[in-house]
Amino acid sequence: MAKQERIVEDIEALRRITQPCACGTQRPSYTPEYRRGVEYVRRRMEAFGLKTREDNAGNLYGLLEGRQPDAPKLISGSHLDSVKCSGAYDGIAGVLCALEAARMIVESGVPLRRPLEVLGTIGEEGTRFGQALIGSQLIEGSWGEEQLDAFHGLEDGLSLRQTMRAYGLPGNVEGVCRRGERVKAFVELHAEQGPVLEDAGLSIGVVENIVAISWMYITVHGMASHPGTIPMSVRRDACVGACRLVCAVTDYARERYDGEATVTAGKMEVFPGNTNCIPSRCDLTLDIRTCSGAYRDDLVRFIREKKAEVERECRVEIEVREGMRQAPTALDAGIQQCIEDSCRKLGYSWRRMNSGAGHDAMIFSRIWPTGMVFVPSRGGLTHHPDEFVPPEELAKGADVLYETFRALDAQSDG
Ligand code: HGY
Ligand code: MN
Ligand code: MN
């Protein structure tokens, strides 16, 4: 079976492993559907001769031994969880292309010197707990036992620790953290999730920087009352306050930082939610992205400044909390060069670019030399059922990973 057919067969098999949902595919972390997805990938890893293990956080590893077991290892992969109503490529493509590159190494009959681990992380999307990059931050060590009790499911209120136990894990993170281990490189392949490569007719993105991200959690408090009896000039409408704030911040971002920064109100919940009741409360999130830490800080400042104005104008109280804050990440220049050289060797078109999406790579770059490879997203579509990466581009991505592993494997260890 050709490379691209094998990868697509696995992508389509995983697409069919989903929670019931309005559309697309949905495998939130620590759910039975997530477990079925992990078992499918685990079987595929073992079919290709990799030794598999699942750590206490639920991250999945597939190990391909090298000639020199104690040499600093190569690790490559991405996340296995999804957002709600997702497509079938986000995260998955990176795990399957890394697995395909590992298979190519086995098939070549020329083992690497270094061990190669294919990694499928858990909890990269913030879907279940409102906190993203969970599996990678437990591996990297910023997060540990404390977060297992601090994080609670947005829908069931269970702690991360209770959820891990219910999933069949021990309920602690012993052995998960790998900070301090000798790792030569972590390389993540991912769908670009934007239109740049496809619009330019290019196959490979060599990622230079990953954006800074802030997730703002905002609650607007008003006063529930009858919609027909309270004059517009005196009511305390929480939904109006929320909409005023969202429009002010997004107008500011568009006027001041168009093309440099983004602000998105992805979730908004109005309470009590009756047609005939002035909303007493509105919960919303604002997702801020930019490669400039200064722009991010200015947007957070603007939100806090605008909050006071909207409180006065709409007679509401507004709580603003920065729930997640990730710094902008510059990826390893040497690995970028390796990826670029691999594209040249293979004759594949490429360009250097930044990532507007967050990835586990931004976490691993704190402890390991880290690089990213992008493959084109059809129409730039992602977090959408129609997400698509052409099979031949996935195969090229696997080839670039293979050549990059070979080049990194051959390098001496300083
Ligand atoms: O939010 C992101 O950028 C990624 O999809 N987790
Ligand atoms: Mn995603
Ligand atoms: Mn992703």
Side-chain angles (χ1 to χ4, degrees), residues 78-79 90-91 124-125 188 190 193 357-359 383:
S78 190
H79 58 96
D90 182 356
E124 191 270 354
E125 303 283 11
E188 179 172 7
H190 204 289
Q193 298 183 292
H359 300 287
H383 290 189

Side-chain angles (χ1 to χ4, degrees), residues 129-132 143 151 211-219 262 284-290 292-304 307 318-328:
F129 296 93
Q131 290 287 351
W143 285 353
F151 295 165
V211 288
I213 304 180
S214 278
W215 280 0
M216 308 302 290
Y217 294 107
I218 296 169
T219 297
T262 59
L284 67 137
T285 60
L286 288 177
D287 171 303
I288 301 171
R289 310 264 173 133
T290 169
S292 158
Y295 293 176
R296 184 262 300 279
D297 295 345
D298 178 48
L299 285 161
V300 173
R301 174 203 58 77
F302 182 86
I303 291 168
R304 296 190 192 286
K307 155 187 160 352
I318 302 177
E319 292 172 62
V320 175
R321 181 171 65 86
E322 189 172 17
M324 178 175 80
R325 182 180 177 88
Q326 294 293 349

